[in-house]
PDB file of all heavy atoms in Angstrom:
ATOM      1  N   LYS A 260       0.838  -1.215   0.000  1.00 97.00           N
ATOM      2  CA  LYS A 260       0.000   0.000   0.000  1.00 97.00           C
ATOM      3  C   LYS A 260       0.863   1.252   0.000  1.00 97.00           C
ATOM      4  O   LYS A 260       0.581   2.214  -0.724  1.00 97.00           O
ATOM      5  CB  LYS A 260      -0.923  -0.004   1.217  1.00 97.00           C
ATOM      6  CG  LYS A 260      -2.039  -1.010   1.126  1.00 97.00           C
ATOM      7  CD  LYS A 260      -2.893  -0.966   2.376  1.00 97.00           C
ATOM      8  CE  LYS A 260      -3.917  -2.082   2.373  1.00 97.00           C
ATOM      9  NZ  LYS A 260      -4.676  -2.134   3.629  1.00 97.00           N
ATOM     10  N   ALA A 261       1.901   1.252   0.826  1.00 97.00           N
ATOM     11  CA  ALA A 261       2.766   2.432   0.921  1.00 97.00           C
ATOM     12  C   ALA A 261       3.475   2.706  -0.396  1.00 97.00           C
ATOM     13  O   ALA A 261       3.681   3.870  -0.763  1.00 97.00           O
ATOM     14  CB  ALA A 261       3.787   2.242   2.040  1.00 97.00           C
ATOM     15  N   SER A 262       3.834   1.666  -1.121  1.00 96.00           N
ATOM     16  CA  SER A 262       4.570   1.853  -2.370  1.00 96.00           C
ATOM     17  C   SER A 262       3.711   2.453  -3.472  1.00 96.00           C
ATOM     18  O   SER A 262       4.238   2.931  -4.471  1.00 96.00           O
ATOM     19  CB  SER A 262       5.179   0.528  -2.833  1.00 96.00           C
ATOM     20  OG  SER A 262       4.179  -0.366  -3.255  1.00 96.00           O
ATOM     21  N   GLU A 263       2.400   2.453  -3.299  1.00 96.00           N
ATOM     22  CA  GLU A 263       1.497   3.049  -4.278  1.00 96.00           C
ATOM     23  C   GLU A 263       1.497   4.572  -4.196  1.00 96.00           C
ATOM     24  O   GLU A 263       1.039   5.243  -5.110  1.00 96.00           O
ATOM     25  CB  GLU A 263       0.077   2.522  -4.074  1.00 96.00           C
ATOM     26  CG  GLU A 263      -0.061   1.038  -4.360  1.00 96.00           C
ATOM     27  CD  GLU A 263      -1.419   0.486  -3.968  1.00 96.00           C
ATOM     28  OE1 GLU A 263      -2.270   1.252  -3.439  1.00 96.00           O
ATOM     29  OE2 GLU A 263      -1.641  -0.718  -4.177  1.00 96.00           O
ATOM     30  N   ARG A 264       1.999   5.100  -3.086  1.00 95.00           N
ATOM     31  CA  ARG A 264       2.035   6.550  -2.894  1.00 95.00           C
ATOM     32  C   ARG A 264       3.393   7.090  -3.318  1.00 95.00           C
ATOM     33  O   ARG A 264       4.386   6.383  -3.307  1.00 95.00           O
ATOM     34  CB  ARG A 264       1.773   6.868  -1.429  1.00 95.00           C
ATOM     35  CG  ARG A 264       0.433   6.266  -0.964  1.00 95.00           C
ATOM     36  CD  ARG A 264       0.271   6.342   0.511  1.00 95.00           C
ATOM     37  NE  ARG A 264       0.040   7.730   0.864  1.00 95.00           N
ATOM     38  CZ  ARG A 264      -0.024   8.154   2.114  1.00 95.00           C
ATOM     39  NH1 ARG A 264       0.128   7.325   3.104  1.00 95.00           N
ATOM     40  NH2 ARG A 264      -0.229   9.429   2.369  1.00 95.00           N
ATOM     41  N   ASP A 265       3.436   8.306  -3.690  1.00 92.00           N
ATOM     42  CA  ASP A 265       4.697   8.919  -4.110  1.00 92.00           C
ATOM     43  C   ASP A 265       5.347   9.631  -2.915  1.00 92.00           C
ATOM     44  O   ASP A 265       5.541  10.841  -2.927  1.00 92.00           O
ATOM     45  CB  ASP A 265       4.438   9.897  -5.260  1.00 92.00           C
ATOM     46  CG  ASP A 265       5.731  10.408  -5.872  1.00 92.00           C
ATOM     47  OD1 ASP A 265       6.759   9.686  -5.812  1.00 92.00           O
ATOM     48  OD2 ASP A 265       5.729  11.528  -6.398  1.00 92.00           O
ATOM     49  N   LEU A 266       5.645   8.837  -1.889  1.00 96.00           N
ATOM     50  CA  LEU A 266       6.250   9.362  -0.669  1.00 96.00           C
ATOM     51  C   LEU A 266       7.360   8.421  -0.222  1.00 96.00           C
ATOM     52  O   LEU A 266       7.340   7.230  -0.544  1.00 96.00           O
ATOM     53  CB  LEU A 266       5.199   9.449   0.454  1.00 96.00           C
ATOM     54  CG  LEU A 266       4.039  10.407   0.228  1.00 96.00           C
ATOM     55  CD1 LEU A 266       2.966  10.194   1.286  1.00 96.00           C
ATOM     56  CD2 LEU A 266       4.543  11.851   0.268  1.00 96.00           C
ATOM     57  N   PRO A 267       8.332   8.921   0.540  1.00 97.00           N
ATOM     58  CA  PRO A 267       9.356   8.025   1.078  1.00 97.00           C
ATOM     59  C   PRO A 267       8.714   6.980   1.995  1.00 97.00           C
ATOM     60  O   PRO A 267       7.701   7.253   2.654  1.00 97.00           O
ATOM     61  CB  PRO A 267      10.271   8.947   1.891  1.00 97.00           C
ATOM     62  CG  PRO A 267       9.983  10.320   1.395  1.00 97.00           C
ATOM     63  CD  PRO A 267       8.561  10.314   0.925  1.00 97.00           C
ATOM     64  N   ILE A 268       9.303   5.798   2.032  1.00 98.00           N
ATOM     65  CA  ILE A 268       8.813   4.739   2.912  1.00 98.00           C
ATOM     66  C   ILE A 268       9.787   4.600   4.072  1.00 98.00           C
ATOM     67  O   ILE A 268      10.958   4.260   3.880  1.00 98.00           O
ATOM     68  CB  ILE A 268       8.658   3.405   2.162  1.00 98.00           C
ATOM     69  CG1 ILE A 268       7.609   3.565   1.045  1.00 98.00           C
ATOM     70  CG2 ILE A 268       8.260   2.293   3.130  1.00 98.00           C
ATOM     71  CD1 ILE A 268       7.434   2.335   0.187  1.00 98.00           C
ATOM     72  N   ILE A 269       9.285   4.890   5.263  1.00 98.00           N
ATOM     73  CA  ILE A 269      10.068   4.825   6.492  1.00 98.00           C
ATOM     74  C   ILE A 269       9.388   3.838   7.418  1.00 98.00           C
ATOM     75  O   ILE A 269       8.189   3.943   7.672  1.00 98.00           O
ATOM     76  CB  ILE A 269      10.141   6.215   7.166  1.00 98.00           C
ATOM     77  CG1 ILE A 269      10.751   7.241   6.204  1.00 98.00           C
ATOM     78  CG2 ILE A 269      10.931   6.133   8.472  1.00 98.00           C
ATOM     79  CD1 ILE A 269      10.629   8.677   6.674  1.00 98.00           C
ATOM     80  N   LEU A 270      10.155   2.882   7.916  1.00 97.00           N
ATOM     81  CA  LEU A 270       9.623   1.902   8.855  1.00 97.00           C
ATOM     82  C   LEU A 270      10.263   2.127  10.215  1.00 97.00           C
ATOM     83  O   LEU A 270      11.403   2.601  10.305  1.00 97.00           O
ATOM     84  CB  LEU A 270       9.936   0.476   8.395  1.00 97.00           C
ATOM     85  CG  LEU A 270       9.247   0.070   7.098  1.00 97.00           C
ATOM     86  CD1 LEU A 270      10.155   0.304   5.935  1.00 97.00           C
ATOM     87  CD2 LEU A 270       8.810  -1.349   7.182  1.00 97.00           C
ATOM     88  N   VAL A 271       9.537   1.757  11.271  1.00 96.00           N
ATOM     89  CA  VAL A 271      10.043   1.873  12.632  1.00 96.00           C
ATOM     90  C   VAL A 271       9.915   0.517  13.292  1.00 96.00           C
ATOM     91  O   VAL A 271       8.851  -0.104  13.250  1.00 96.00           O
ATOM     92  CB  VAL A 271       9.255   2.941  13.429  1.00 96.00           C
ATOM     93  CG1 VAL A 271       9.780   3.044  14.849  1.00 96.00           C
ATOM     94  CG2 VAL A 271       9.316   4.296  12.728  1.00 96.00           C
ATOM     95  N   ALA A 272      11.012   0.047  13.877  1.00 93.00           N
ATOM     96  CA  ALA A 272      11.030  -1.251  14.553  1.00 93.00           C
ATOM     97  C   ALA A 272      11.792  -1.108  15.864  1.00 93.00           C
ATOM     98  O   ALA A 272      12.577  -0.173  16.041  1.00 93.00           O
ATOM     99  CB  ALA A 272      11.710  -2.292  13.674  1.00 93.00           C
ATOM    100  N   HIS A 273      11.560  -2.032  16.759  1.00 92.00           N
ATOM    101  CA  HIS A 273      12.305  -1.987  18.017  1.00 92.00           C
ATOM    102  C   HIS A 273      13.745  -2.455  17.813  1.00 92.00           C
ATOM    103  O   HIS A 273      14.691  -1.763  18.162  1.00 92.00           O
ATOM    104  CB  HIS A 273      11.623  -2.843  19.095  1.00 92.00           C
ATOM    105  CG  HIS A 273      12.348  -2.789  20.401  1.00 92.00           C
ATOM    106  ND1 HIS A 273      12.196  -1.732  21.261  1.00 92.00           N
ATOM    107  CD2 HIS A 273      13.256  -3.621  20.960  1.00 92.00           C
ATOM    108  CE1 HIS A 273      12.982  -1.921  22.314  1.00 92.00           C
ATOM    109  NE2 HIS A 273      13.633  -3.077  22.158  1.00 92.00           N
ATOM    110  N   HIS A 274      13.929  -3.645  17.250  1.00 91.00           N
ATOM    111  CA  HIS A 274      15.261  -4.202  17.005  1.00 91.00           C
ATOM    112  C   HIS A 274      15.745  -3.835  15.603  1.00 91.00           C
ATOM    113  O   HIS A 274      14.967  -3.882  14.656  1.00 91.00           O
ATOM    114  CB  HIS A 274      15.241  -5.736  17.086  1.00 91.00           C
ATOM    115  CG  HIS A 274      15.113  -6.265  18.464  1.00 91.00           C
ATOM    116  ND1 HIS A 274      13.901  -6.452  19.075  1.00 91.00           N
ATOM    117  CD2 HIS A 274      16.050  -6.653  19.357  1.00 91.00           C
ATOM    118  CE1 HIS A 274      14.088  -6.932  20.279  1.00 91.00           C
ATOM    119  NE2 HIS A 274      15.380  -7.065  20.481  1.00 91.00           N
ATOM    120  N   PRO A 275      17.028  -3.536  15.453  1.00 95.00           N
ATOM    121  CA  PRO A 275      17.567  -3.373  14.102  1.00 95.00           C
ATOM    122  C   PRO A 275      17.656  -4.732  13.411  1.00 95.00           C
ATOM    123  O   PRO A 275      17.834  -5.760  14.069  1.00 95.00           O
ATOM    124  CB  PRO A 275      18.961  -2.782  14.336  1.00 95.00           C
ATOM    125  CG  PRO A 275      19.327  -3.202  15.720  1.00 95.00           C
ATOM    126  CD  PRO A 275      18.043  -3.313  16.489  1.00 95.00           C
ATOM    127  N   ILE A 276      17.538  -4.738  12.089  1.00 95.00           N
ATOM    128  CA  ILE A 276      17.723  -5.983  11.344  1.00 95.00           C
ATOM    129  C   ILE A 276      19.169  -6.450  11.517  1.00 95.00           C
ATOM    130  O   ILE A 276      19.440  -7.618  11.758  1.00 95.00           O
ATOM    131  CB  ILE A 276      17.354  -5.794   9.863  1.00 95.00           C
ATOM    132  CG1 ILE A 276      15.844  -5.551   9.739  1.00 95.00           C
ATOM    133  CG2 ILE A 276      17.789  -7.005   9.037  1.00 95.00           C
ATOM    134  CD1 ILE A 276      15.362  -5.293   8.328  1.00 95.00           C
ATOM    135  N   PHE A 277      20.095  -5.507  11.389  1.00 95.00           N
ATOM    136  CA  PHE A 277      21.506  -5.741  11.725  1.00 95.00           C
ATOM    137  C   PHE A 277      22.067  -4.410  12.169  1.00 95.00           C
ATOM    138  O   PHE A 277      21.448  -3.367  11.981  1.00 95.00           O
ATOM    139  CB  PHE A 277      22.288  -6.353  10.553  1.00 95.00           C
ATOM    140  CG  PHE A 277      22.402  -5.471   9.344  1.00 95.00           C
ATOM    141  CD1 PHE A 277      23.421  -4.536   9.226  1.00 95.00           C
ATOM    142  CD2 PHE A 277      21.498  -5.578   8.299  1.00 95.00           C
ATOM    143  CE1 PHE A 277      23.534  -3.728   8.107  1.00 95.00           C
ATOM    144  CE2 PHE A 277      21.594  -4.775   7.169  1.00 95.00           C
ATOM    145  CZ  PHE A 277      22.619  -3.850   7.081  1.00 95.00           C
ATOM    146  N   THR A 278      23.252  -4.435  12.785  1.00 93.00           N
ATOM    147  CA  THR A 278      23.811  -3.180  13.277  1.00 93.00           C
ATOM    148  C   THR A 278      24.896  -2.619  12.368  1.00 93.00           C
ATOM    149  O   THR A 278      24.888  -1.442  12.072  1.00 93.00           O
ATOM    150  CB  THR A 278      24.354  -3.328  14.715  1.00 93.00           C
ATOM    151  OG1 THR A 278      25.338  -4.353  14.745  1.00 93.00           O
ATOM    152  CG2 THR A 278      23.226  -3.654  15.675  1.00 93.00           C
ATOM    153  N   GLU A 279      25.833  -3.465  11.933  1.00 92.00           N
ATOM    154  CA  GLU A 279      26.926  -2.975  11.092  1.00 92.00           C
ATOM    155  C   GLU A 279      27.037  -3.697   9.760  1.00 92.00           C
ATOM    156  O   GLU A 279      27.381  -3.099   8.761  1.00 92.00           O
ATOM    157  CB  GLU A 279      28.251  -3.067  11.846  1.00 92.00           C
ATOM    158  CG  GLU A 279      28.278  -2.153  13.063  1.00 92.00           C
ATOM    159  CD  GLU A 279      29.572  -2.259  13.841  1.00 92.00           C
ATOM    160  OE1 GLU A 279      30.586  -2.711  13.276  1.00 92.00           O
ATOM    161  OE2 GLU A 279      29.563  -1.890  15.021  1.00 92.00           O
ATOM    162  N   SER A 280      26.766  -5.000   9.754  1.00 93.00           N
ATOM    163  CA  SER A 280      26.915  -5.800   8.544  1.00 93.00           C
ATOM    164  C   SER A 280      25.815  -6.846   8.485  1.00 93.00           C
ATOM    165  O   SER A 280      25.497  -7.466   9.496  1.00 93.00           O
ATOM    166  CB  SER A 280      28.277  -6.503   8.537  1.00 93.00           C
ATOM    167  OG  SER A 280      28.318  -7.511   7.552  1.00 93.00           O
ATOM    168  N   VAL A 281      25.264  -7.041   7.311  1.00 94.00           N
ATOM    169  CA  VAL A 281      24.192  -8.020   7.146  1.00 94.00           C
ATOM    170  C   VAL A 281      24.665  -9.420   7.528  1.00 94.00           C
ATOM    171  O   VAL A 281      23.855 -10.262   7.921  1.00 94.00           O
ATOM    172  CB  VAL A 281      23.620  -7.968   5.713  1.00 94.00           C
ATOM    173  CG1 VAL A 281      24.617  -8.533   4.715  1.00 94.00           C
ATOM    174  CG2 VAL A 281      22.288  -8.671   5.619  1.00 94.00           C
ATOM    175  N   ASN A 282      25.970  -9.667   7.485  1.00 94.00           N
ATOM    176  CA  ASN A 282      26.519 -10.985   7.810  1.00 94.00           C
ATOM    177  C   ASN A 282      27.062 -11.088   9.233  1.00 94.00           C
ATOM    178  O   ASN A 282      27.686 -12.093   9.580  1.00 94.00           O
ATOM    179  CB  ASN A 282      27.621 -11.348   6.811  1.00 94.00           C
ATOM    180  CG  ASN A 282      27.073 -11.478   5.412  1.00 94.00           C
ATOM    181  OD1 ASN A 282      26.034 -12.095   5.202  1.00 94.00           O
ATOM    182  ND2 ASN A 282      27.740 -10.869   4.446  1.00 94.00           N
ATOM    183  N   GLU A 283      26.836 -10.068  10.057  1.00 95.00           N
ATOM    184  CA  GLU A 283      27.358 -10.110  11.426  1.00 95.00           C
ATOM    185  C   GLU A 283      26.735 -11.259  12.220  1.00 95.00           C
ATOM    186  O   GLU A 283      25.662 -11.761  11.865  1.00 95.00           O
ATOM    187  CB  GLU A 283      27.088  -8.780  12.138  1.00 95.00           C
ATOM    188  CG  GLU A 283      25.623  -8.524  12.415  1.00 95.00           C
ATOM    189  CD  GLU A 283      25.316  -7.076  12.779  1.00 95.00           C
ATOM    190  OE1 GLU A 283      26.176  -6.196  12.589  1.00 95.00           O
ATOM    191  OE2 GLU A 283      24.187  -6.822  13.239  1.00 95.00           O
ATOM    192  N   ASP A 284      27.412 -11.653  13.267  1.00 95.00           N
ATOM    193  CA  ASP A 284      26.917 -12.723  14.121  1.00 95.00           C
ATOM    194  C   ASP A 284      25.621 -12.304  14.813  1.00 95.00           C
ATOM    195  O   ASP A 284      25.386 -11.112  15.048  1.00 95.00           O
ATOM    196  CB  ASP A 284      27.951 -13.077  15.190  1.00 95.00           C
ATOM    197  CG  ASP A 284      29.188 -13.753  14.610  1.00 95.00           C
ATOM    198  OD1 ASP A 284      29.083 -14.337  13.504  1.00 95.00           O
ATOM    199  OD2 ASP A 284      30.252 -13.679  15.250  1.00 95.00           O
ATOM    200  N   GLU A 285      24.828 -13.279  15.149  1.00 93.00           N
ATOM    201  CA  GLU A 285      23.624 -13.022  15.935  1.00 93.00           C
ATOM    202  C   GLU A 285      24.065 -12.640  17.343  1.00 93.00           C
ATOM    203  O   GLU A 285      24.939 -13.268  17.926  1.00 93.00           O
ATOM    204  CB  GLU A 285      22.732 -14.261  15.963  1.00 93.00           C
ATOM    205  CG  GLU A 285      22.171 -14.591  14.592  1.00 93.00           C
ATOM    206  CD  GLU A 285      21.326 -15.839  14.573  1.00 93.00           C
ATOM    207  OE1 GLU A 285      20.815 -16.257  15.625  1.00 93.00           O
ATOM    208  OE2 GLU A 285      21.180 -16.417  13.480  1.00 93.00           O
ATOM    209  N   ALA A 286      23.449 -11.580  17.865  1.00 90.00           N
ATOM    210  CA  ALA A 286      23.888 -11.071  19.159  1.00 90.00           C
ATOM    211  C   ALA A 286      22.734 -10.737  20.089  1.00 90.00           C
ATOM    212  O   ALA A 286      22.917 -10.093  21.104  1.00 90.00           O
ATOM    213  CB  ALA A 286      24.773  -9.843  18.954  1.00 90.00           C
ATOM    214  N   GLY A 287      21.525 -11.113  19.714  1.00 87.00           N
ATOM    215  CA  GLY A 287      20.380 -10.782  20.555  1.00 87.00           C
ATOM    216  C   GLY A 287      19.890  -9.355  20.385  1.00 87.00           C
ATOM    217  O   GLY A 287      18.864  -8.988  20.933  1.00 87.00           O
ATOM    218  N   VAL A 288      20.643  -8.547  19.647  1.00 91.00           N
ATOM    219  CA  VAL A 288      20.227  -7.167  19.384  1.00 91.00           C
ATOM    220  C   VAL A 288      19.866  -6.977  17.923  1.00 91.00           C
ATOM    221  O   VAL A 288      19.470  -5.897  17.516  1.00 91.00           O
ATOM    222  CB  VAL A 288      21.312  -6.141  19.780  1.00 91.00           C
ATOM    223  CG1 VAL A 288      21.563  -6.173  21.275  1.00 91.00           C
ATOM    224  CG2 VAL A 288      22.596  -6.373  18.998  1.00 91.00           C
ATOM    225  N   ASN A 289      20.037  -8.034  17.120  1.00 92.00           N
ATOM    226  CA  ASN A 289      19.713  -7.986  15.703  1.00 92.00           C
ATOM    227  C   ASN A 289      18.816  -9.173  15.378  1.00 92.00           C
ATOM    228  O   ASN A 289      18.620 -10.054  16.212  1.00 92.00           O
ATOM    229  CB  ASN A 289      20.999  -8.015  14.868  1.00 92.00           C
ATOM    230  CG  ASN A 289      21.931  -9.152  15.276  1.00 92.00           C
ATOM    231  OD1 ASN A 289      21.539 -10.133  15.883  1.00 92.00           O
ATOM    232  ND2 ASN A 289      23.199  -9.010  14.931  1.00 92.00           N
TER     233      ASN A 289
END
């Protein structure tokens, strides 16, 4: 639905998907 609008798409989550690298180790914060 959001992509149908001509506006930036910003999401808010509690945990980051990753912190520094997509391949970083799992640390309980990602």
Side-chain angles (χ1 to χ4, degrees):
K260 288 179 187 175
S262 69
E263 294 172 359
R264 303 169 72 186
D265 188 27
L266 296 170
I268 298 177
I269 302 169
L270 294 95
V271 179
H273 181 80
H274 287 86
I276 293 178
F277 64 86
T278 58
E279 295 179 21
S280 166
V281 71
N282 296 315
E283 68 195 13
D284 291 337
E285 294 178 22
V288 296
N289 51 21

